[in-house]
Amino acid sequence: MRIAVAGGTGTVGRHVVEIARQRGHHAVSLSRSEGVDLVNGRGLDQALEGTETVIDVSGVETMSTKKAVDFYTNATQNLLAAEKKAGVRHHVALSIVGIDKATSGLYAGKLVQEDEVRHGGIPWSLLRSTQFHEFVPMVVKAASAGPLVLVPNMFTQPVAAREVAEALVNAAEAGPKGRLPDLGGPRAEKLADLVRAYLQKTGKRKRIVQLNVPGRMGKAMRKGGLIPKAGADVGRQTFQEWLETHHNK
């Protein structure tokens, strides 16, 4: 089938495009670099012509609740409106495990996105996953201050981005199923331990300072609220295996 991948050049999106093509689908990537802007709708109508299924893995890097909510509201509404015009039959969206317990920042935006998808008039499937293994180097890059790296006190169960992509393509092939089982990695870990392993593997010399994030978000991080519950699907690749594969010094 013809599958359009919103955010097709991102961490998960590039895997979605590759896997879909390997399985014989005609996959097109929707991103600003390819002339499509989800936030203002530019290029969407033309890009979705003849498309049967849309997989939305678009995202925004922000800690601002307003910016996240604005992005996911505009992007999702524009996407769904263009899908109706194009006759799209299935909308697959990627979300994050535990966002009900942490309703600020990016998670507030994802909750709005989920609500738009549920009431958007296009048959849908929704997959919530935990953070990807790539989340750890992103934390190091974003939270470094000189020789220090500021790491939230957080339990996480990271999953391989490629395994999330496989699950999304599976969902596209299966047709609309509503909320799918959550997907997490094979092992629950403290984020600080993962950062320590990453720094050691990549030869970066930094001291980890663990911080308690305030509010509901921080509580969810510390108390395991972002870990999948029993019955969730479990990925195969551990963080350590990913680290060995991607960061050989």
Short mmCIF file of all heavy atoms in Angstrom, two decimals, residues 196-235:
data_model
loop_
_atom_site.label_atom_id
_atom_site.label_comp_id
_atom_site.label_asym_id
_atom_site.label_seq_id
_atom_site.Cartn_x
_atom_site.Cartn_y
_atom_site.Cartn_z
N ARG A 196 25.57 6.98 32.61
CA ARG A 196 26.93 6.59 33.04
C ARG A 196 27.55 5.60 32.05
O ARG A 196 28.71 5.73 31.65
CB ARG A 196 26.87 5.99 34.45
CG ARG A 196 28.23 5.80 35.12
CD ARG A 196 28.08 5.39 36.58
NE ARG A 196 27.51 6.47 37.38
CZ ARG A 196 26.29 6.48 37.90
NH1 ARG A 196 25.47 5.44 37.71
NH2 ARG A 196 25.85 7.49 38.60
N ALA A 197 26.77 4.61 31.63
CA ALA A 197 27.26 3.61 30.68
C ALA A 197 27.58 4.26 29.33
O ALA A 197 28.59 3.94 28.70
CB ALA A 197 26.22 2.51 30.50
N TYR A 198 26.75 5.21 28.91
CA TYR A 198 26.97 5.89 27.64
C TYR A 198 28.24 6.75 27.69
O TYR A 198 29.05 6.73 26.76
CB TYR A 198 25.75 6.77 27.31
CG TYR A 198 25.95 7.66 26.11
CD1 TYR A 198 25.88 7.15 24.81
CD2 TYR A 198 26.22 9.02 26.27
CE1 TYR A 198 26.08 7.97 23.71
CE2 TYR A 198 26.42 9.84 25.17
CZ TYR A 198 26.35 9.31 23.89
OH TYR A 198 26.55 10.12 22.81
N LEU A 199 28.43 7.48 28.78
CA LEU A 199 29.63 8.32 28.92
C LEU A 199 30.89 7.47 28.90
O LEU A 199 31.89 7.81 28.27
CB LEU A 199 29.56 9.13 30.23
CG LEU A 199 28.47 10.21 30.30
CD1 LEU A 199 28.42 10.80 31.70
CD2 LEU A 199 28.69 11.30 29.26
N GLN A 200 30.83 6.34 29.61
CA GLN A 200 31.99 5.45 29.68
C GLN A 200 32.31 4.87 28.30
O GLN A 200 33.46 4.83 27.87
CB GLN A 200 31.71 4.32 30.68
CG GLN A 200 32.91 3.46 30.99
CD GLN A 200 32.61 2.47 32.12
OE1 GLN A 200 31.51 2.43 32.66
NE2 GLN A 200 33.58 1.67 32.47
N LYS A 201 31.27 4.45 27.58
CA LYS A 201 31.45 3.82 26.28
C LYS A 201 32.00 4.80 25.25
O LYS A 201 32.82 4.43 24.39
CB LYS A 201 30.12 3.24 25.80
CG LYS A 201 30.19 2.50 24.47
CD LYS A 201 30.98 1.22 24.60
CE LYS A 201 30.99 0.45 23.29
NZ LYS A 201 31.88 -0.72 23.36
N THR A 202 31.56 6.06 25.33
CA THR A 202 31.95 7.05 24.32
C THR A 202 33.16 7.88 24.75
O THR A 202 33.60 8.76 23.99
CB THR A 202 30.77 8.00 24.02
OG1 THR A 202 30.32 8.60 25.25
CG2 THR A 202 29.62 7.25 23.36
N GLY A 203 33.68 7.61 25.95
CA GLY A 203 34.89 8.30 26.38
C GLY A 203 34.68 9.74 26.79
O GLY A 203 35.64 10.52 26.88
N LYS A 204 33.41 10.11 27.07
CA LYS A 204 33.13 11.48 27.52
C LYS A 204 33.32 11.57 29.04
O LYS A 204 32.76 10.76 29.77
CB LYS A 204 31.70 11.87 27.14
CG LYS A 204 31.47 12.00 25.64
CD LYS A 204 30.03 12.39 25.36
CE LYS A 204 29.81 12.80 23.91
NZ LYS A 204 30.00 11.72 22.97
N ARG A 205 34.10 12.55 29.48
CA ARG A 205 34.37 12.69 30.92
C ARG A 205 33.45 13.76 31.51
O ARG A 205 33.70 14.95 31.36
CB ARG A 205 35.83 13.06 31.14
CG ARG A 205 36.78 11.97 30.69
CD ARG A 205 38.17 12.21 31.22
NE ARG A 205 39.03 11.05 30.99
CZ ARG A 205 40.22 10.91 31.53
NH1 ARG A 205 40.69 11.84 32.34
NH2 ARG A 205 40.94 9.84 31.27
N LYS A 206 32.41 13.31 32.14
CA LYS A 206 31.47 14.23 32.79
C LYS A 206 31.01 13.62 34.12
O LYS A 206 30.97 12.40 34.26
CB LYS A 206 30.24 14.48 31.90
CG LYS A 206 30.54 15.30 30.65
CD LYS A 206 29.28 15.56 29.85
CE LYS A 206 29.56 16.38 28.60
NZ LYS A 206 29.88 17.78 28.92
N ARG A 207 30.67 14.51 35.05
CA ARG A 207 30.14 14.05 36.33
C ARG A 207 28.63 14.16 36.30
O ARG A 207 28.08 15.20 35.90
CB ARG A 207 30.71 14.89 37.48
CG ARG A 207 30.34 14.33 38.85
CD ARG A 207 31.26 14.88 39.93
NE ARG A 207 31.05 16.29 40.18
CZ ARG A 207 30.12 16.78 41.01
NH1 ARG A 207 29.30 15.97 41.66
NH2 ARG A 207 30.02 18.08 41.19
N ILE A 208 27.96 13.09 36.70
CA ILE A 208 26.50 13.06 36.70
C ILE A 208 25.95 13.69 37.97
O ILE A 208 26.35 13.33 39.08
CB ILE A 208 26.00 11.60 36.57
CG1 ILE A 208 26.40 11.03 35.20
CG2 ILE A 208 24.49 11.53 36.76
CD1 ILE A 208 26.20 9.54 35.09
N VAL A 209 25.05 14.64 37.80
CA VAL A 209 24.32 15.24 38.93
C VAL A 209 22.85 14.87 38.75
O VAL A 209 22.22 15.29 37.77
CB VAL A 209 24.48 16.77 38.98
CG1 VAL A 209 23.68 17.35 40.14
CG2 VAL A 209 25.95 17.15 39.09
N GLN A 210 22.32 14.07 39.67
CA GLN A 210 20.94 13.60 39.54
C GLN A 210 19.99 14.60 40.20
O GLN A 210 20.21 15.04 41.32
CB GLN A 210 20.79 12.21 40.18
CG GLN A 210 19.56 11.47 39.73
CD GLN A 210 19.60 10.00 40.12
OE1 GLN A 210 19.32 9.14 39.31
NE2 GLN A 210 19.94 9.70 41.35
N LEU A 211 18.95 14.98 39.49
CA LEU A 211 18.01 16.00 39.96
C LEU A 211 16.61 15.42 40.08
O LEU A 211 16.19 14.61 39.25
CB LEU A 211 17.96 17.17 38.98
CG LEU A 211 19.26 17.92 38.68
CD1 LEU A 211 19.01 18.94 37.59
CD2 LEU A 211 19.81 18.58 39.92
N ASN A 212 15.86 15.86 41.11
CA ASN A 212 14.45 15.53 41.22
C ASN A 212 13.64 16.59 40.47
O ASN A 212 13.65 17.77 40.85
CB ASN A 212 14.00 15.49 42.68
CG ASN A 212 14.50 14.24 43.39
OD1 ASN A 212 14.81 13.23 42.76
ND2 ASN A 212 14.60 14.30 44.71
N VAL A 213 12.96 16.18 39.41
CA VAL A 213 12.11 17.10 38.65
C VAL A 213 10.85 17.37 39.48
O VAL A 213 10.26 16.44 40.04
CB VAL A 213 11.74 16.48 37.28
CG1 VAL A 213 10.74 17.36 36.53
CG2 VAL A 213 13.00 16.26 36.45
N PRO A 214 10.43 18.65 39.60
CA PRO A 214 9.25 18.95 40.42
C PRO A 214 7.94 18.54 39.75
O PRO A 214 7.90 18.24 38.55
CB PRO A 214 9.31 20.48 40.57
CG PRO A 214 10.08 20.95 39.38
CD PRO A 214 11.05 19.86 39.05
N GLY A 215 6.87 18.54 40.54
CA GLY A 215 5.51 18.35 40.01
C GLY A 215 5.17 16.91 39.66
O GLY A 215 5.89 15.96 40.00
N ARG A 216 4.05 16.77 38.96
CA ARG A 216 3.55 15.44 38.59
C ARG A 216 4.52 14.71 37.68
O ARG A 216 4.67 13.49 37.75
CB ARG A 216 2.19 15.55 37.88
CG ARG A 216 1.03 15.92 38.80
CD ARG A 216 -0.28 15.92 38.04
NE ARG A 216 -0.69 14.58 37.67
CZ ARG A 216 -1.69 14.31 36.84
NH1 ARG A 216 -2.35 15.28 36.26
NH2 ARG A 216 -2.02 13.06 36.56
N MET A 217 5.17 15.46 36.79
CA MET A 217 6.13 14.86 35.87
C MET A 217 7.26 14.19 36.65
O MET A 217 7.61 13.04 36.41
CB MET A 217 6.70 15.94 34.94
CG MET A 217 7.84 15.47 34.05
SD MET A 217 7.31 14.39 32.72
CE MET A 217 6.74 15.61 31.54
N GLY A 218 7.82 14.93 37.62
CA GLY A 218 8.92 14.39 38.41
C GLY A 218 8.51 13.18 39.22
O GLY A 218 9.27 12.21 39.34
N LYS A 219 7.31 13.22 39.78
CA LYS A 219 6.81 12.08 40.56
C LYS A 219 6.68 10.85 39.69
O LYS A 219 7.06 9.74 40.08
CB LYS A 219 5.47 12.44 41.21
CG LYS A 219 4.93 11.35 42.13
CD LYS A 219 3.62 11.75 42.78
CE LYS A 219 3.10 10.63 43.67
NZ LYS A 219 1.77 10.96 44.25
N ALA A 220 6.13 11.04 38.48
CA ALA A 220 5.98 9.91 37.55
C ALA A 220 7.34 9.33 37.18
O ALA A 220 7.50 8.11 37.09
CB ALA A 220 5.23 10.36 36.30
N MET A 221 8.32 10.20 36.98
CA MET A 221 9.67 9.74 36.65
C MET A 221 10.26 8.89 37.78
O MET A 221 10.81 7.82 37.55
CB MET A 221 10.58 10.95 36.40
CG MET A 221 10.34 11.68 35.10
SD MET A 221 11.43 13.14 35.00
CE MET A 221 11.23 13.56 33.27
N ARG A 222 10.14 9.40 39.01
CA ARG A 222 10.79 8.73 40.16
C ARG A 222 10.07 7.46 40.58
O ARG A 222 10.70 6.51 41.06
CB ARG A 222 10.83 9.69 41.36
CG ARG A 222 11.73 10.88 41.18
CD ARG A 222 11.90 11.65 42.49
NE ARG A 222 10.66 12.17 43.02
CZ ARG A 222 10.09 13.32 42.65
NH1 ARG A 222 10.65 14.06 41.71
NH2 ARG A 222 8.96 13.73 43.20
N LYS A 223 8.74 7.44 40.43
CA LYS A 223 7.94 6.34 40.98
C LYS A 223 7.64 5.23 39.95
O LYS A 223 6.86 4.32 40.22
CB LYS A 223 6.61 6.89 41.51
CG LYS A 223 6.76 7.93 42.59
CD LYS A 223 7.28 7.35 43.89
CE LYS A 223 7.29 8.39 45.00
NZ LYS A 223 7.88 7.87 46.24
N GLY A 224 8.23 5.34 38.76
CA GLY A 224 8.00 4.30 37.76
C GLY A 224 6.73 4.47 36.96
O GLY A 224 6.26 3.53 36.31
N GLY A 225 6.16 5.70 36.97
CA GLY A 225 4.93 5.95 36.23
C GLY A 225 5.11 5.93 34.72
O GLY A 225 4.13 5.88 33.98
N LEU A 226 6.36 5.96 34.26
CA LEU A 226 6.62 5.94 32.82
C LEU A 226 7.07 4.56 32.34
O LEU A 226 7.57 4.40 31.23
CB LEU A 226 7.68 7.00 32.46
CG LEU A 226 7.39 8.41 32.99
CD1 LEU A 226 8.46 9.39 32.54
CD2 LEU A 226 6.01 8.90 32.55
N ILE A 227 6.90 3.57 33.22
CA ILE A 227 7.22 2.17 32.90
C ILE A 227 5.93 1.47 32.48
O ILE A 227 4.89 1.65 33.12
CB ILE A 227 7.81 1.46 34.15
CG1 ILE A 227 9.08 2.17 34.62
CG2 ILE A 227 8.05 -0.02 33.87
CD1 ILE A 227 10.27 2.01 33.74
N PRO A 228 5.96 0.65 31.43
CA PRO A 228 4.72 -0.04 31.02
C PRO A 228 4.21 -0.98 32.10
O PRO A 228 4.98 -1.58 32.85
CB PRO A 228 5.15 -0.85 29.78
CG PRO A 228 6.46 -0.27 29.35
CD PRO A 228 7.10 0.30 30.57
N LYS A 229 2.88 -1.12 32.13
CA LYS A 229 2.25 -2.05 33.09
C LYS A 229 2.30 -3.48 32.53
O LYS A 229 2.62 -3.69 31.36
CB LYS A 229 0.80 -1.63 33.33
CG LYS A 229 0.68 -0.31 34.10
CD LYS A 229 -0.78 -0.04 34.43
CE LYS A 229 -0.92 1.14 35.39
NZ LYS A 229 -0.36 2.39 34.85
N ALA A 230 1.96 -4.43 33.39
CA ALA A 230 1.89 -5.84 32.98
C ALA A 230 0.95 -5.97 31.77
O ALA A 230 -0.07 -5.30 31.70
CB ALA A 230 1.39 -6.69 34.13
N GLY A 231 1.34 -6.82 30.83
CA GLY A 231 0.53 -7.02 29.62
C GLY A 231 1.03 -6.23 28.43
O GLY A 231 0.54 -6.42 27.31
N ALA A 232 2.01 -5.36 28.66
CA ALA A 232 2.58 -4.59 27.54
C ALA A 232 3.47 -5.49 26.69
O ALA A 232 3.97 -6.52 27.15
CB ALA A 232 3.39 -3.42 28.08
N ASP A 233 3.65 -5.09 25.45
CA ASP A 233 4.60 -5.79 24.58
C ASP A 233 6.02 -5.40 24.99
O ASP A 233 6.26 -4.26 25.43
CB ASP A 233 4.37 -5.42 23.11
CG ASP A 233 3.09 -6.03 22.56
OD1 ASP A 233 2.60 -7.02 23.15
OD2 ASP A 233 2.57 -5.52 21.55
N VAL A 234 6.95 -6.33 24.84
CA VAL A 234 8.32 -6.11 25.30
C VAL A 234 9.29 -6.27 24.13
O VAL A 234 9.26 -7.27 23.41
CB VAL A 234 8.70 -7.10 26.43
CG1 VAL A 234 10.14 -6.89 26.87
CG2 VAL A 234 7.75 -6.95 27.61
N GLY A 235 10.15 -5.27 23.94
CA GLY A 235 11.15 -5.32 22.88
C GLY A 235 12.27 -6.29 23.19
O GLY A 235 12.36 -6.84 24.29
#
